[in-house]
Amino acid sequence: MSLLRFITAGSVDDGKSTLIGRLLYDSQNVHEDQLAAAGAASRRRSAEGIDLSLLTDGLRAEREQGITIDVAYRYFATDRRKFILADTPGHEQYTRNMATAASTADLAILLVDARHGLRTQTRRHARIASLLGIRDVVVAVNKMDLVGYDQDRFRGIESEFRRFAASLDHNPLRSMRFIPLSAFAGDNVVSPSEHMPWFEGKPLLDFLETVNVQSRGEDTFYFPVQTVLRPDHSFRGYAGQIAGGGISVGDEVVVLPSRRRSRVRRIVTFDGDLESAQAPMSVTLELEDELDVGRGDVLCAGDDLPEVARDLRATLIWFGDAPLDTRRSYLAKHTTRTVRARVTTDDVVEMNGIADVEIETSAPLVLRSYAENRAAGSFILIDRDTNATVAAGLVHHAIERRRPAESAGCGVECICPCHEGSHSHSHSHSHSGGIS
């Protein structure tokens, strides 16, 4: 069976956790001990019956406050498909948690309270889902029972969301499905609703079982080197996780940023050698030639090579408590390389803000756009003083920027990975920014 990864998103109190609880409960994917625990917690809160939101809200603070704080992952299956779902928080304070979950999802269920329509956080979550490459969205208009199952109210929210979706500048949504439902009453979640005969579409679970999500097309080989393994003088291997495409013994590879070429001699794993390997496998590659390759370098194949650049345009999703400060430098962690970075933008970027920026790094990065490859097109910014992650970045493309001619050596300051990004040194050799 195929696997579908999806998230629930939307504003606070729109019913995300209740929807997931109803979906699990009505599809008979709840264990007896989970149901008993949710029932006991419901009685402590003096709730009538079982509060289905408690099937996903597991933290004590979540149950006390009646909100979702952390991402809750659940794994379940039906006769037609396997699912990994992530219930994400709706509070603005926890937007970073939603973005983290969305980065690995194929589809998003965006909940809208039928009484309130689209709210600020609804739009923010929709934009983040779009930025993170999710092309398929289900707009679940929830709490239809509280508006008398009004068809006109549902159609009005549908029209409002379509107008908003048309305004998304980056990565527009490809497919939008609108479903009126009541997570509390169970209308159109697993079974069709008797209260909305005017809706002729599928219930939510039926749609999730049959939807064909868009492939991201990450079929070009991309292998960031995590570490060099040299147990003795006869073996030199480059270990890491394949982030795109596949590789076979005998294939030619290009080392970036140095652009040196070699061929794969062996593909080594803990369970023995392989003839070929695909993403997302973790392997060790041995090359036919002795090359200067180290952590942060990238092995690629084919003529369609990634861009190698120190300047790029990107979109930032800002997580930090303090606003973005364009006068200071941050650490940018891209795949297995960490470099210093400065951000340029005319916008004031505060917590949960989204902005298009230009970034200059202290050493070259091997880039693809986020639309082409999630790993090669994403990075995080780290505060150098606190070591806190302050932003997630999505690459659009590299920028050509002229610089004064540099003297012998690469002349840039790189971050030494053996000290977890906290130590810097200047290279005096001709290697183009890599660390070996």
Side-chain angles (χ1 to χ4, degrees), residues 126-146:
R127 187 178 180 195
I128 290 174
S130 171
L131 287 170
L132 290 172
I134 298 177
R135 298 290 175 271
D136 298 273
V137 172
V138 177
V139 180
V141 182
N142 191 24
K143 304 186 182 182
M144 288 296 295
D145 54 317
L146 300 183

Side-chain angles (χ1 to χ4, degrees), residues 218 220-224 241-245 279-281 335 373-376:
E218 297 174 351
T220 305
F221 181 65
Y222 187 94
F223 182 78
Q241 183 180 36
I242 302 175
M281 297 175 62
T335 64
N373 186 293
R374 287 184 176 183

Side-chain angles (χ1 to χ4, degrees), residues 99-390:
T100 300
S103 66
T104 60
D106 303 312
L107 178 145
I109 300 175
L110 188 69
L111 269 79
V112 179
D113 189 323
R115 299 169 300 173
H116 306 305
L118 302 188
R119 295 191 277 188
T120 300
Q121 195 70 345
T122 315
R123 292 181 171 86
R124 181 180 286 118
H125 279 195
R127 187 178 180 195
I128 290 174
S130 171
L131 287 170
L132 290 172
I134 298 177
R135 298 290 175 271
D136 298 273
V137 172
V138 177
V139 180
V141 182
N142 191 24
K143 304 186 182 182
M144 288 296 295
D145 54 317
L146 300 183
V147 295
Y149 301 101
D150 184 6
Q151 180 180 5
D152 291 338
R153 180 59 181 158
F154 169 72
R155 297 303 178 192
I157 292 173
E158 178 181 353
S159 298
E160 184 182 7
F161 187 85
R162 288 189 184 278
R163 290 194 299 271
F164 165 73
S167 69
L168 296 175
D169 46 1
H170 296 301
N171 303 330
L173 302 174
R174 180 197 68 161
S175 172
M176 294 177 288
R177 179 64 62 95
F178 297 83
I179 301 177
L181 54 83
S182 169
F184 178 80
D187 293 288
N188 277 342
V189 179
V190 172
S191 303
S193 171
E194 297 179 355
H195 299 100
M196 292 178 281
W198 46 265
F199 178 69
E200 299 178 352
K202 298 178 180 179
L204 178 60
L205 181 59
D206 193 3
F207 173 78
L208 294 175
E209 288 178 319
T210 56
V211 62
N212 293 316
V213 296
Q214 181 180 20
S215 172
R216 293 187 60 85
E218 297 174 351
D219 54 359
T220 305
F221 181 65
Y222 187 94
F223 182 78
V225 176
Q226 182 175 356
T227 189
V228 180
L229 300 179
R230 196 173 179 100
D232 54 54
H233 69 280
S234 64
F235 181 85
R236 181 184 178 94
Y238 308 109
Q241 183 180 36
I242 302 175
I247 195 70
S248 299
V249 173
D251 286 354
E252 184 182 57
V253 294
V254 181
V255 181
L256 296 177
S258 69
R259 298 189 179 275
R260 295 177 179 174
R261 294 177 179 263
S262 185
R263 291 188 179 275
V264 177
R265 175 181 292 166
R266 293 174 61 193
I267 302 175
V268 183
T269 71
F270 180 80
D271 297 318
D273 288 10
L274 302 175
E275 285 298 315
S276 61
Q278 303 287 330
M281 297 175 62
S282 295
V283 298
T284 298
L285 302 181
E286 182 183 13
L287 305 183
E288 293 181 353
D289 303 288
E290 290 282 345
L291 300 181
D292 181 13
V293 181
R295 178 184 172 93
D297 290 337
V298 178
L299 304 184
C300 301
D303 298 326
D304 181 21
L305 296 179
E307 297 177 294
V308 179
R310 287 176 52 192
D311 303 283
L312 60 138
R313 283 197 173 93
T315 295
L316 285 186
I317 304 173
W318 192 257
F319 300 151
D321 296 327
L324 167 67
D325 188 348
T326 57
R327 298 168 298 178
R328 59 177 300 193
S329 67
Y330 298 88
L331 298 180
K333 187 179 188 304
H334 173 262
T335 64
T336 57
R337 172 168 290 194
T338 302
V339 297
R340 299 189 190 278
R342 287 190 177 275
V343 182
T344 302
T345 181
D346 294 329
D347 298 328
V348 176
V349 187
E350 299 179 326
M351 179 186 287
N352 301 320
I354 301 173
D356 290 332
V357 301
E358 293 186 3
I359 293 181
E360 179 183 2
T361 63
S362 61
L365 301 178
V366 182
L367 305 168
R368 287 194 182 277
S369 70
Y370 188 85
E372 294 175 307
N373 186 293
R374 287 184 176 183
S378 62
F379 61 93
I380 59 173
L381 290 184
I382 302 170
D383 188 297
R384 293 171 56 190
D385 297 328
T386 65
N387 207 36
T389 300
V390 293

Side-chain angles (χ1 to χ4, degrees), residues 6-10 16-17 19-20 86-89 98 108-111:
F6 69 94
I7 65 167
T8 56
K16 295 179 292 300
S17 297
L19 174 64
I20 294 303
D87 181 25
T88 69
M98 178 271 168
I109 300 175
L110 188 69
L111 269 79

Side-chain angles (χ1 to χ4, degrees), residues 32-50:
E32 290 185 4
D33 58 337
Q34 294 174 319
L35 196 59
S42 298
R43 289 190 293 273
R44 287 194 295 270
R45 294 173 57 179
S46 300
E48 295 183 5
I50 299 177

